[in-house]
Amino acid sequence: MVPGVFFLALGLRLWGINFGLPALYRPDEDVTVGRAMGILHGTLDPHFADWPHLYFYLAAAWLAPFRLVGLVADQASAYLGVRVLDALLGSLTVLVVFQFGRHAYGWLAGFLAAATLAVAFLHVRDSHFAMLDIPLALAITAGLYVAYRTIFLSGRRPLLLNGVSLGIATSLKYNGAILFLAMAAAQWLRTRADHSPLIRAALRLGGIGVIGVATLAITSPFLVLDPGLTQHGLGYIVQHLGTATAPAIGWVELAAGLWFGIDPVLVLMGAIGVAYGAWRRQPADWILLGFLLPYYLLIGSGGSVFFRYADPMIPPLLLLGGRALADLVRNAGNPTTRNVVLAGVIVLLLTPPLVHDARFDLLIQKADTRTLAYEWLAQHVRTGAGAAIPYLAGPAHDQAMVEGGEHSHGAQDPYVASFLDGRLETQYPIRELSSNDFQLTSLDSFRQQDIRYLVVAYERPGTGCRPDSSLERALLAEGPPLASFSPTAGCPASVFDPIDSYYVPLAGYGGWIRPGPHIRIYRLRD
């Protein structure tokens, strides 16, 4: 049964994984894949410290053999290659969850946790992306398992295993360091069990911390070699979390991400598991809660929290929930009753997220509105005629935008800097349509720059179904759009992460025809 769960997880994560290509429509993939490909081209220093660097090197190592045999030959194949790596790592997390649950709570608890993680929508969705959140979730889940399995082991090996696990998680994303608190809970449990003084636990934790820092330095060496850039990256993270760009504080955003991201039935399962774990307080409960609660409190205190920041919470949450439901089934009476209850639990838990997964995977395979707009522009814009196009919500960028470096995240190498969202356009020059441009009431500045076409698309997901800016009202005063590309029939109320420029809803698929933002193309009068 467990191999079947793994292949279900892998199938859901690979389904539609080539979405958008050869264009790039998932922000931040350009950073991950661009740096990985840069490493293969000899640029070992990522010149970027908003994230640590381990996954850049892992992705490069993964792509290297495929590049040697010609399967990775351009940007699109590189994006696809790293997306497949993320899908595999997301599916491997299902197996780690099963092993953790089996050893800590019994086979049934492990199976229920693994089966629900296999279909949990936010984890499935983010496993389609060449990004860091799913590798981080795997590293944290493995680190929690290591902390549990080594509680009562003596010698240096447990310290080494915990320290390396901590360092790897932190070297994927800085918030992986919160894993240390779960390891502290494990060491406190050990101190209680063997009646040793707290100073011994403190010394063991100090050893784990030292090994973790050393692992971080070894796997992300340019964080040490370029301390100025590292300080800048950490400062950006503090500023990012401290700036209120999301509609609500991070605690609300994380809760919303889970509610719409893994569906209410799995949220309820996890909440019951947390309460049950707090009551039972077995060793694995302390370790899982020792990560979950601090992570939620610390990350949730930020003002700019993406829904995907909830990814590392999903495996421990479902582990606790799987254990609670396994105990419920065991106490359901005679074997016949237990089997009926188990079957009902499985159907209840898996059906809503499976439907959610299928609707997403079917939708992302359709042609994106930006692809349709790109093709229209290629057919109708004469060579040399200028076009104004927004960056993330638009279909294209030109070489001048690559050379300007504004969206290259500090890349120093021209090849690495060429990894941008959208698609490179060489037929006509592009002026980036900025957020300030949307406030304009006059079109004179566009005419002065010989801009003939304006592509209107709004960066905030879920907006733009109707004209919603001073600029577009000025354009409408000159005439209707030449072409419109809508992802929906009508203007459905759907759920998006409001600060993540990814134009596929998290929930609410009614009326959706294709992915992408609403796009309208106007031509200026001569």
Side-chain angles (χ1 to χ4, degrees):
M1 295 179 71
V2 176
V5 169
F6 171 78
F7 285 111
L8 171 65
L10 184 60
L12 291 171
R13 286 156 176 79
L14 290 175
W15 188 5
I17 202 165
N18 63 334
F19 68 92
L21 298 175
L24 177 64
Y25 298 143
R26 171 66 249 190
D28 290 342
E29 284 190 323
D30 54 325
V31 182
T32 306
V33 180
R35 264 53 182 196
M37 290 295 285
I39 290 165
L40 295 179
H41 280 76
T43 305
L44 299 181
D45 184 353
H47 295 287
F48 178 81
D50 296 2
W51 312 328
H53 305 151
L54 175 58
Y55 199 56
F56 301 153
Y57 299 116
L58 289 176
W62 166 260
L63 292 175
F66 300 107
R67 184 167 170 260
L68 283 175
V69 298
L71 292 177
V72 172
D74 55 14
Q75 291 193 12
S77 55
Y79 285 122
L80 180 59
V82 182
R83 287 178 184 176
V84 170
L85 175 60
D86 267 66
L88 288 170
L89 296 177
S91 303
L92 285 173
T93 310
V94 172
L95 297 181
V96 176
V97 162
F98 170 73
Q99 288 297 330
F100 194 161
R102 181 172 71 89
H103 283 100
Y105 303 126
W107 188 94
L108 182 58
F111 175 79
L112 290 173
T116 50
L117 180 62
V119 301
F121 171 68
L122 188 63
H123 199 273
V124 170
R125 186 200 76 162
D126 291 349
S127 294
H128 284 74
F129 306 148
M131 292 168 60
L132 308 180
D133 303 282
I134 292 303
L136 175 65
L138 171 58
I140 286 176
T141 305
L144 293 170
Y145 183 42
V146 167
Y148 170 73
R149 294 283 283 173
T150 60
I151 291 178
F152 303 114
L153 296 181
S154 58
R156 297 177 182 175
R157 185 167 176 266
L159 301 181
L160 180 64
L161 291 173
N162 279 271
V164 170
S165 299
L166 174 64
I168 288 173
T170 309
S171 196
L172 288 167
K173 284 189 85 171
Y174 296 117
N175 52 338
I178 299 174
L179 178 61
F180 181 78
L181 299 178
M183 292 175 174
Q187 294 304 313
W188 175 74
L189 288 170
R190 175 176 178 150
T191 298
R192 277 206 328 173
D194 60 17
H195 305 289
S196 59
L198 285 175
I199 187 64
R200 291 188 62 184
L203 290 173
R204 287 194 293 268
L205 284 172
I208 291 170
V210 168
I211 295 169
V213 170
T215 302
L216 170 64
I218 292 168
T219 54
S220 295
F222 287 97
L223 295 180
V224 178
L225 297 174
D226 193 348
L229 188 62
T230 302
Q231 184 178 4
H232 177 273
L234 292 172
Y236 166 77
I237 292 169
V238 172
Q239 184 216 1
H240 167 73
L241 288 173
T243 304
T245 59
I249 191 71
W251 299 312
V252 176
E253 294 298 304
L254 287 174
L258 290 171
W259 183 260
F260 294 108
I262 64 173
D263 295 292
V265 65
L266 296 189
V267 175
L268 180 61
M269 167 187 164
I272 292 171
V274 168
Y276 189 60
W279 176 59
R280 292 293 305 274
R281 297 190 298 276
Q282 293 180 353
D285 299 328
W286 283 106
I287 292 169
L288 293 171
L289 294 173
F291 169 76
L292 263 177
L293 299 181
Y295 185 93
Y296 178 74
L297 292 173
L298 290 170
I299 301 301
S301 65
S304 297
V305 174
F306 292 96
F307 285 175
R308 67 177 185 267
Y309 290 177
D311 281 326
M313 299 175 62
I314 297 172
L317 195 65
L318 297 181
L319 268 165
L320 290 167
R323 177 280 204 89
L325 291 180
D327 283 4
L328 172 68
V329 170
R330 290 191 194 100
N331 294 308
N334 61 58
T336 302
T337 303
R338 286 199 295 271
N339 289 335
V340 171
V341 171
L342 178 59
V345 165
I346 290 174
V347 171
L348 178 66
L349 292 178
L350 301 191
T351 301
L354 266 173
V355 171
H356 199 164
D357 298 337
R359 298 189 76 176
F360 171 80
D361 285 337
L362 287 168
L363 181 64
I364 62 173
Q365 295 179 80
K366 304 291 181 61
D368 193 285
T369 55
R370 287 163 289 186
T371 298
L372 301 179
Y374 182 91
E375 293 171 350
W376 188 94
L377 290 166
Q379 294 173 6
H380 293 85
V381 178
R382 61 177 174 80
T383 301
I389 300 176
Y391 177 58
L392 290 174
H397 59 269
D398 64 0
Q399 188 59 33
M401 292 175 68
V402 173
E403 294 170 357
E406 181 180 350
H407 301 293
S408 298
H409 304 278
Q412 304 295 306
D413 179 79
Y415 174 74
V416 177
S418 71
F419 284 77
L420 294 181
D421 287 87
R423 203 182 316 190
L424 180 65
E425 177 55 66
T426 58
Q427 178 177 317
Y428 50 85
I430 293 174
R431 165 182 164 174
E432 182 180 348
L433 199 60
S434 69
S435 57
N436 290 332
D437 289 332
F438 280 92
Q439 310 307 315
L440 296 175
T441 56
S442 169
L443 304 175
D444 292 343
S445 63
F446 297 102
R447 289 192 173 93
Q448 290 167 6
Q449 296 181 26
D450 200 27
I451 299 296
R452 288 291 172 263
Y453 295 88
L454 280 86
V455 178
V456 173
Y458 297 90
E459 183 173 329
R460 186 183 178 94
T463 61
C465 185
R466 301 180 181 89
D468 193 28
S469 66
S470 301
L471 174 65
E472 191 164 13
R473 285 188 284 272
L475 288 166
L476 284 167
E478 294 201 354
L482 295 180
S484 298
F485 304 98
S486 175
T488 62
C491 299
S494 301
V495 178
F496 290 88
D497 184 340
I499 61 172
D500 189 357
S501 301
Y502 180 62
Y503 303 99
V504 177
L506 194 72
Y509 289 88
W512 277 81
I513 303 168
R514 62 182 70 255
H518 294 271
I519 297 177
R520 291 176 286 275
I521 302 175
Y522 296 85
R523 192 182 193 285
L524 293 182
R525 291 176 182 171
D526 294 330

